């Protein structure tokens, strides 16, 4: 370590005061300003579009038209777009459905994935290899829409909420990630647990899971976002729009009016969705995930550090 | 460490590749179904339904029953019932239909849905499919074989084998609709012959009821006063006048032209006399892209783009944004469908803006045309699930009710809702004025019964008789120039499979040429490539179908 410090000190030349490594130096003011500018720019790239979306959704339609489709600060705020969306009651209902599907789906998916990943991560499990191969096979070559539909239909899941969860219960991608995390737990710990008399279930719950908390949280977040955003299965498997989750319902608000301008179809595209409604839709769909994110962020940081330091 | 060796992975991939290769051939065996064919060549067509136009209410301006629609300047003072009895038998009727709207208010809360069910005498249960997801939803419905009673079909080109499916699984309606049999359903008898013929027959049988639409297609709209000030007015405008006109309208942050992800080349092509999609000569189909006029048009559009006449972000603009930019004056003109006119009329109400139709301009050496469509909404009309004759008759009576013409009490319910709930009457004209409930979403855009069955809609813009006159005059001016697409109603398997990818290649080449990234002379090689990639095959398939249909 000391040779590295010395080398850094030599290279840094006249900036070096004493023997501190370069990253412990007080940075120059221009450096700080430059960093601030760069970070500010990146933050602005993320915040400004979302701010525009939010403000446009709160603007009167006429003002948005005057401005050419957007607004950064409305002359007067209005909730008309939100009233329009929630008026029929179908969106409010869809929010409840989405929250329930996301909660139940994530819980079941996470539970199932953890159990399967743990089993497949242990060496010498009977049938472990063929099962893993089978899973990867399905991952690489998904069955396609119609065969999936026929299976769901034959299992009498059509028009039932379980059709939104059962077909996507375990994601092979998440499974592989979790399995890798469980395999990364030192074998000595598993061995110690076994010597202490723990069975597989106890080892999974008390050794593997706590040591992989960060990854489990990230996988759970993937599942939750997946359930929250998924609309296609609802459109395929649920015939009654009144039973659709939020993403499927909001999608219709966004595409209503945005459809083709071909001569024959546009008879139906009379009530073009004003920009304000589209933007309000984006806000409604994004806010819940934004609310959950801060609670999971620390796990993301940890997840990123996993494996960075060799013990 | 991975438990898989490279060899075992290769084995897996190999096995899958084999199964993937064999799968299509297995399904191909399965779908080869007996002797039925959708071609109409071998037999003789069933007689088309007798045309009995409605005379419920006389229009203020009479159309020609073909390209020019009837027009009403005011709402009819006295509505007439068009259906004698309640059509339904109280049973549950299921239907699948497309939607271009937001989800409707649930039936148990929707006064509109309840009133319509009451009037129909059935418990109508709808599976409403967003138009964008229709091909997937219809494909799965066909695969499962679980059909609703009423199937409002989608474009046969977007779902493979859908016509064969209709023929195999849906009711043959010939005995109920062919010839004079249709007199049982007076509103269906008011469907104009062109709509039936565009829909066509399958194996010389009638399998559907078409949803009629205006035949005049895409338009360029503009602010009447502004255009007239720039010398663009009337039917005799030359391309030189048009070019200088849009040049005058382009200034600072204002632009003469805007497109929605394209250049409205479909509209401009009409002025250059480009054929509507395909040209048919001596049984041979030639694509519009191969014509010298098309290349000439691209050169002109590129010139306009270079001069800055086009809104710069045209390629990334979608129609709703383009509408906004037109209404706030950023763009002087906008391209949209004919029916889109209603939007501009409504949006301009109470403002000095007068939106009018720009007529095709004249280019030396050629004469302008006006593209006309088949006059039906997308799809193959509305088919019915096979059922005993009594039920088929009941379902046809339901469709008959939904086809009630303008000026009937049924039309008012289906298009304006319930008096006092969804609309109030204009004290002066008696025309229905929508209430907040209707505007808020409990309307027939969101409850899309009009896509199951509907009459030919006359020109009528509530409270805007001048707009009606402008639309009528536009149709009258355009109808002598009308040119249809000879490939209409013909099915090309290559086109079904590859039209979107082939179209994307052409559109990107058009974009490159118009924006000056490629020279106009590169178009020839693009078209050549398009022909070898599938264009020639599509032409050959159309020609074969056309020849078969005209053999007898």
């Amino acid at each position: 370590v000391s040779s590295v410090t010395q080398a850094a000190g030599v290279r840094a030349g006249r900036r070096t005061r004493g023997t501190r490594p370069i990253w412990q130096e007080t940075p120059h003011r221009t450096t700080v300003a430059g960093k601030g500018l760069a970070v500010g720019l990146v933050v602005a790239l993320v915040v400004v579009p979302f701010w525009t979306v939010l403000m446009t959704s709160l603007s009167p339609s006429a003002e948005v038209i005057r401005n050419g489709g957007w607004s950064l600060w409305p002359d007067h705020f209005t909730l008309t777009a939100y009233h329009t969306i929630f008026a029929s009651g179908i969106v409010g209902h869809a929010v409840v459905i989405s929250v329930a599907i996301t909660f139940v789906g994530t819980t079941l998916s996470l539970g199932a994935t953890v159990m399967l990943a743990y089993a497949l991560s242990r060496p010498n499990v009977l049938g472990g290899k063929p099962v893993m191969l089978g899973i990867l096979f399905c991952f690489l070559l998904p069955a396609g829409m119609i065969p999936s539909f026929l299976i769901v239909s034959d299992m009498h899941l059509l028009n039932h909420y379980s059709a939104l969860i059962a077909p996507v219960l375990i994601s092979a991608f998440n499974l592989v990630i979790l399995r890798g995390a469980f395999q990364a737990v030192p074998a000595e710990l598993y061995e110690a647990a076994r010597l202490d008399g723990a069975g597989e279930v106890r080892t999974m719950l008390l050794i593997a899971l706590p040591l992989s908390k960060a990854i489990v949280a990230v996988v759970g977040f993937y599942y939750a976002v997946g359930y929250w955003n998924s609309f296609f299965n609802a459109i395929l498997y649920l015939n009654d729009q009144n039973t659709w989750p939020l993403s499927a319902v909001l999608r219709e608000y966004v595409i209503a009016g945005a459809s083709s301008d071909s001569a024959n179809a546009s008879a139906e595209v009379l009530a073009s969705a004003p920009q304000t409604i589209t933007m309000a839709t984006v806000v409604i769909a994004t806010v819940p995930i934004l609310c959950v994110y801060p609670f999971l962020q620390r796990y993301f940081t940890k997840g990123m550090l996993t494996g960075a330091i060799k013990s | 460490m991975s438990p898989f060796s490279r060899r075992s992975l290769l084995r897996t991939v190999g096995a899958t590749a084999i199964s993937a290769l064999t799968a299509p051939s297995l399904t191909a065996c399965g779908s080869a179904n007996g002797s039925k064919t959708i071609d109409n060549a071998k037999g003789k067509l069933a007689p088309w339904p007798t045309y009995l136009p409605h005379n419920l209410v006389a229009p203020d301006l009479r159309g020609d029953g073909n390209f020019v629609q009837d027009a009403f300047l005011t709402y009819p003072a006295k509505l007439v019932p068009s259906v004698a009895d309640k059509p339904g038998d109280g049973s549950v009727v299921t239907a699948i239909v497309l939607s271009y709207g937001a989800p409707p208010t649930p039936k148990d809360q929707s006064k509109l849905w309840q009133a319509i069910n009451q009037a129909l005498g059935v418990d109508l249960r709808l599976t409403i499919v967003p138009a964008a997801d229709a091909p997937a939803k219809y494909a799965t419905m066909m695969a499962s074989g679980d059909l609703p009673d009423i199937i409002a079909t989608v474009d046969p080109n977007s779902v493979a084998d859908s016509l064969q499916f209709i023929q195999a699984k849906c009711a043959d309606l010939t005995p109920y609709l062919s010839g004079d049999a249709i007199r049982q359903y007076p509103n269906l008898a008011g469907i104009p012959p062109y709509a039936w013929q565009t829909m066509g027959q399958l194996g010389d049988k009638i399998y559907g009821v078409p949803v009629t639409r205006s035949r005049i297609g895409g338009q360029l709209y503009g602010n009447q006063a502004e255009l007239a000030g720039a010398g663009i007015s009337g039917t005799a405008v030359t391309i030189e006048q048009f070019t200088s006109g849009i040049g005058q309208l382009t200034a600072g942050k204002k632009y003469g032209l805007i497109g929605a992800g394209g250049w409205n080349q479909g509209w401009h092509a009409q002025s250059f006399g480009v054929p509507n999609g395909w040209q048919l000569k001596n049984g041979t189909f030639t694509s519009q892209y191969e014509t010298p006029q098309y290349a000439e048009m691209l050169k002109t559009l590129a010139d306009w783009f270079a001069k800055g006449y086009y809104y710069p972000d045209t390629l990334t603009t979608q129609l709703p944004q383009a509408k906004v930019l037109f209404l706030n004056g950023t763009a002087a003109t906008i391209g949209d469908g004919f029916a889109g006119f209603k939007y501009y009329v409504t949006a301009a109400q109470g403002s000095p803006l007068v939106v009018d139709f720009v007529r095709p301009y004249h280019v030396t050496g050629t004469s302008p045309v006006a593209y006309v469509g088949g006059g039906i909404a997308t799809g193959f009309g509305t088919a019915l699930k096979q059922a005993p004759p009594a039920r088929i008759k009941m379902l046809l009576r339901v469709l008959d009710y939904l086809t009630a013409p303008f000026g009937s009490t049924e039309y008012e319910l289906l298009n304006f809702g319930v008096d006092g709930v969804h609309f109030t009457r204009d004290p002066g004209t008696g025309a229905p004025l929508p209430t907040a409930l209707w505007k808020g979403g409990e309307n027939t855009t969101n409850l899309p019964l009009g896509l199951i069955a509907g009459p030919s809609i006359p020109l009528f813009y509530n409270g805007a008789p001048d707009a009606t006159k402008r639309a009528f005059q536009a149709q009258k001016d355009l109808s002598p120039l009308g040119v249809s697409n000879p490939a209409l109603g013909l099915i090309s398997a290559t086109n079904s499979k590859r039209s979107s990818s082939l179209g994307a290649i052409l559109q990107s080449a058009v974009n490159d040429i118009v924006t000056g990234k490629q020279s106009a002379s590169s178009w020839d090689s693009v078209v050549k490539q398009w022909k070898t990639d599938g264009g020639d095959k599509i032409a050959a398939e159309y020609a074969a179908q056309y020849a078969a249909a005209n053999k007898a």
Side-chain angles (χ1 to χ4, degrees), chain A residues 135-176:
Chain A
I135 290 167
L136 286 185
F137 179 86
C138 298
F139 179 47
L140 291 173
L141 294 138
M145 181 182 70
I146 291 178
S148 308
F149 179 88
L150 292 178
I151 289 178
V152 170
S153 163
D154 287 349
M155 291 177 77
H156 303 288
L157 297 181
L158 283 189
N159 296 319
H160 197 278
Y161 289 124
S162 51
L164 304 186
I165 297 176
V168 291
L169 189 65
I170 292 178
S171 136
F173 179 76
N174 290 343
L175 179 82
V176 170

Side-chain angles (χ1 to χ4, degrees), chain A:
Chain A
V1 173
S2 68
S3 66
V4 172
T5 319
Q6 275 163 12
V10 169
R11 262 188 242 121
R14 60 191 159 80
R15 271 167 37 114
T16 317
R17 297 186 302 261
T19 52
R20 281 186 297 174
I22 190 164
W23 53 88
Q24 287 178 6
E25 294 287 343
T26 321
H28 197 269
R29 242 179 262 149
T30 42
T31 320
V32 176
K35 269 187 196 163
L37 196 73
V39 171
L41 207 72
V42 171
V43 169
L45 280 177
V46 176
V47 170
V48 171
F50 196 75
W51 176 260
T52 316
V53 166
L54 184 67
M55 286 303 127
T56 308
S57 76
L58 293 169
S59 306
S61 213
E63 189 182 328
V64 171
I65 287 182
R66 211 168 50 238
N67 287 348
W70 51 278
S71 168
L72 275 180
W73 188 260
D75 291 343
H76 37 267
F77 288 83
T78 168
L79 289 173
T80 318
Y82 294 91
H83 278 303
T84 309
I85 292 178
F86 282 98
S88 71
I90 195 163
V91 172
H93 189 218
V95 170
V96 176
I97 293 171
S98 265
V99 169
I101 296 274
T102 306
F103 183 74
V104 175
T106 308
T107 312
L108 291 177
S109 285
L110 206 53
T113 313
V114 163
M115 286 193 278
L116 185 58
Y118 177 76
L120 293 173
S121 75
R122 307 307 303 130
N124 308 322
V125 172
L126 183 67
K129 217 166 154 181
V131 168
M132 192 65 208
L133 267 176
I135 290 167
L136 286 185
F137 179 86
C138 298
F139 179 47
L140 291 173
L141 294 138
M145 181 182 70
I146 291 178
S148 308
F149 179 88
L150 292 178
I151 289 178
V152 170
S153 163
D154 287 349
M155 291 177 77
H156 303 288
L157 297 181
L158 283 189
N159 296 319
H160 197 278
Y161 289 124
S162 51
L164 304 186
I165 297 176
V168 291
L169 189 65
I170 292 178
S171 136
F173 179 76
N174 290 343
L175 179 82
V176 170
I177 292 181
L178 261 185
R179 177 172 164 273
F182 292 150
Q183 280 175 335
V185 173
E188 292 84 352
L189 287 179
Y190 287 125
E191 213 173 288
R194 171 153 298 186
L195 286 176
D196 285 345
E200 291 295 351
V201 175
R202 185 177 282 241
T203 312
M204 177 182 82
L205 290 177
L206 297 182
I207 307 290
L209 266 185
L211 287 172
S212 318
K213 231 189 320 187
I215 308 247
V216 172
V218 170
V219 165
F221 189 64
Y222 281 168
Y223 273 126
V225 173
Y227 279 114
W228 182 262
N229 285 344
S230 104
F231 63 89
F232 195 63
N233 281 355
I235 290 169
L236 275 193
Y237 300 141
L238 306 178
N239 283 338
D240 183 358
Q241 284 182 310
N242 202 22
T243 60
W244 281 4
L246 188 66
S247 47
V249 172
L250 291 185
R251 188 165 171 275
E252 283 206 55
Y253 278 98
V254 175
I255 57 178
S259 333
S260 92
D261 58 340
S262 79
N264 288 320
S266 61
E268 293 69 41
V269 193
L270 298 177
S272 172
Q275 207 84 343
T276 51
I277 293 188
T278 310
M279 295 304 168
T281 309
V282 174
V283 173
I284 298 169
T286 321
V287 162
I289 292 290
L290 278 185
C291 293
V292 175
Y293 193 82
F295 296 101
L296 286 168
Q297 203 188 8
R298 61 199 184 100
Y299 292 109
F300 274 101
T301 326
K302 249 190 216 166
M304 262 160 39
L305 285 177
T306 310
I309 301 158
K310 204 161 184 168
S311 54

Side-chain angles (χ1 to χ4, degrees), chain B residues 503-519:
Chain B
I505 294 169
L506 285 175
Q507 182 63 46
S508 106
V510 166
N511 295 345
D512 285 349
I513 290 172
V514 174
T515 54
K517 286 187 194 133
Q518 293 284 335
S519 71

Side-chain angles (χ1 to χ4, degrees), chain B residues 144-225:
Chain B
S144 73
D146 188 11
L147 301 186
D149 296 309
I150 298 175
I151 303 145
T153 61
V154 288
D155 181 2
N157 271 317
S158 70
V159 183
D161 296 333
S162 57
L163 293 182
Q164 285 82 351
F165 175 82
I166 292 170
Q167 190 185 34
K169 298 286 178 187
C170 293
D172 172 11
L173 302 178
T174 319
Y176 310 96
L177 299 179
S178 180
D180 279 346
I182 200 157
R183 285 175 189 275
Q184 298 288 318
Y185 315 99
N187 291 337
L188 297 183
I191 295 173
Y194 67 78
W196 292 103
Q197 283 160 22
T198 301
M199 182 186 79
Q201 298 192 10
L202 301 174
D204 305 317
K205 299 275 195 303
I206 298 170
Y207 277 93
V209 174
V211 182
T212 319
R213 285 286 175 268
S214 143
R215 295 196 69 183
I216 299 277
Q219 298 297 321
L220 193 73
Y221 298 102
N223 179 337
Q224 197 184 45

